[in-house]
Amino acid sequence: MSKAMEPDLQTPLGKASGQAGREWSHPSDNWLRGFVLDNRASLGTLGVFVVMMAVFMIANPTVFTTWYLYSSVLTTLPVALFVVVPLVFVVTCGEIDLSFPATMGFASWVFALVVQAGYDPFLGIAAALLTGTLLGFLVGSLVVYGGLSSLIATLGMNFLLRGLIQIINEGKSTALTSLADSSAYAIFSSQIWGIPVQIFWATAFVVFSALLYNRHRFGAQVKVVGDNPDSAKQMGIDVKLVRVKVFVFVGIGAAIAGTFSVMINFTWWPTAGDGYLLPVLASVFVGGTPTWGGIGTVVGGAIGAVTVSFIQTGVVAAGLSGFYVQFFNGLIIILSLLGHKWNQARYR
């Protein structure tokens, strides 16, 4: 080969092809485009939420420009966020947990029993967290070490725990009016400048979980285990322990959610947590975490929870009857999943 025909390995591709002064660069080298590519699922969910809110605001601008509507949503939204975020970890790990509603009810029941007995609410919170941790470990052990399907095992645990609550309490609720005068209520469930303080705690929980998911070794292990368990084992990751940990995280989140729900209402109900099963699952999937495992988004899940929370309030405030709520729930879920399917097609 003559010297003229030899390739110049020291010259950038663009210059070698005659494009002097113009170097090749990957599309993601642009920070804005890279940000969009890395957060496409979350941004897609945010787009759905913005469009939905725009429709509601056009339908009834008077209601949607008043603070009372948003204050109402921000009061109950944190309860969902404390469960949605841990479920992102579980689904990313390739599992599912349907026992969290009963875990919410059981842990909040323990909290109510401690407070009703005259002990400090902070002790009740600690007891609820311990209960949630133990229940999460129990559920995770049944799935991981017992070799059971997470779908069936967690659904069975949900019925078992709920039935146990109903048998012992015989459907009776527990009023906790003394909570209003406690320091625990002032810290976790009061208002600051008219804003429910629990939304600040929920936001802190979302930020912590996002850092854990994206910046910590545990989050990386969860993604690898969900994507390819065999490869995770070869990398030295304790796959079974990681899977148990995500169920424990759900148990802790459910315990916090159940405790907050009691502090909001000053009453514990035997059905506490029951109404959160479908909205929470919808929030996870609307938020952009696919069902196949390996990838997910904590921020997207949080935005999904906000979207689902506003559907019922928005439909009624827009002047429609409550019969439209299920229709809009289904519509938003289907549109979001279609959008995420298009967005995430390159990942798998």
Side-chain angles (χ1 to χ4, degrees):
M1 180 184 293
S2 66
K3 191 170 184 64
M5 296 177 62
E6 293 180 2
D8 185 358
L9 300 180
Q10 304 299 321
T11 305
L13 181 60
K15 292 183 178 180
S17 60
Q19 300 175 2
R22 182 180 170 188
E23 297 185 8
W24 180 86
S25 62
H26 192 274
S28 62
D29 289 343
N30 181 286
W31 72 269
L32 181 59
R33 182 173 297 183
F35 175 81
V36 172
L37 290 175
D38 292 340
N39 300 278
R40 57 169 62 185
S42 302
L43 293 175
T45 306
L46 181 61
V48 172
F49 172 72
V50 170
V51 171
M52 182 189 74
M53 292 301 294
V55 172
F56 287 152
M57 192 164 291
I58 293 172
N60 195 337
T62 303
V63 174
F64 281 91
T65 53
T66 59
W67 171 246
Y68 299 106
L69 173 69
Y70 300 96
S71 177
S72 174
V73 173
L74 293 179
T75 300
T76 56
L77 173 61
V79 177
L81 286 175
F82 283 120
V83 187
V84 169
V85 170
L87 271 178
V88 172
F89 285 75
V90 171
V91 176
T92 301
C93 207
E95 305 288 352
I96 191 67
D97 189 347
L98 303 182
S99 66
F100 67 86
T103 302
M104 287 176 62
F106 206 96
S108 60
W109 176 39
V110 172
F111 169 76
L113 289 176
V114 172
V115 175
Q116 188 183 41
Y119 294 101
D120 192 284
F122 285 107
L123 182 60
I125 294 173
L129 289 174
L130 179 60
T131 302
T133 301
L134 293 176
L135 289 176
F137 179 77
L138 174 60
V139 172
S141 297
L142 285 174
V143 173
V144 177
Y145 299 112
L148 303 179
S149 164
S150 60
L151 176 66
I152 305 303
T154 58
L155 184 62
M157 280 298 297
N158 185 55
F159 285 119
L160 188 150
L161 292 175
R162 184 66 63 187
L164 183 62
I165 293 172
Q166 296 285 6
I167 290 171
I168 297 176
N169 291 277
E170 298 180 345
K172 298 176 182 178
S173 60
T174 303
L176 302 170
T177 54
S178 61
L179 277 175
D181 301 323
S182 66
S183 56
Y185 174 80
I187 294 173
F188 296 114
S189 195
S190 58
Q191 290 192 354
I192 298 178
W193 303 305
I195 302 174
V197 72
Q198 55 263 35
I199 194 63
F200 296 112
W201 289 104
T203 302
F205 183 76
V206 171
V207 172
F208 165 77
S209 300
L211 293 175
L212 184 66
Y213 189 85
N214 297 307
R215 302 295 181 185
H216 194 269
R217 179 175 56 187
F218 176 64
Q221 291 176 345
V222 169
K223 296 171 189 174
V224 174
V225 170
D227 183 63
N228 193 323
D230 294 331
S231 297
K233 289 180 181 179
Q234 294 176 1
M235 295 169 63
I237 298 174
D238 191 336
V239 174
K240 291 186 176 180
L241 181 60
V242 170
R243 292 169 64 198
V244 170
K245 283 182 178 179
V246 295
F247 284 102
V248 170
F249 192 27
V250 172
I252 294 173
I256 299 173
T259 304
F260 269 63
S261 68
V262 172
M263 298 182 75
I264 291 170
N265 300 310
F266 301 115
T267 305
W268 174 82
W269 301 92
T271 56
D274 259 358
Y276 285 93
L277 179 60
L278 294 181
V280 165
L281 291 177
S283 301
V284 173
F285 298 123
V286 166
T289 298
T291 56
W292 55 73
I295 57 174
T297 164
V298 170
V299 175
I303 299 174
V306 176
T307 302
V308 173
S309 296
F310 269 100
I311 289 177
Q312 182 171 358
T313 306
V315 167
V316 176
L320 300 174
S321 70
F323 299 113
Y324 285 85
V325 173
Q326 289 189 358
F327 170 79
F328 277 99
N329 272 327
L331 179 64
I332 293 297
I333 291 171
I334 291 173
L335 291 178
S336 298
L337 291 178
L338 287 174
H340 295 317
K341 180 69 176 178
W342 175 80
N343 263 337
Q344 297 175 345
R346 300 180 184 179
Y347 285 109
R348 304 295 281 180

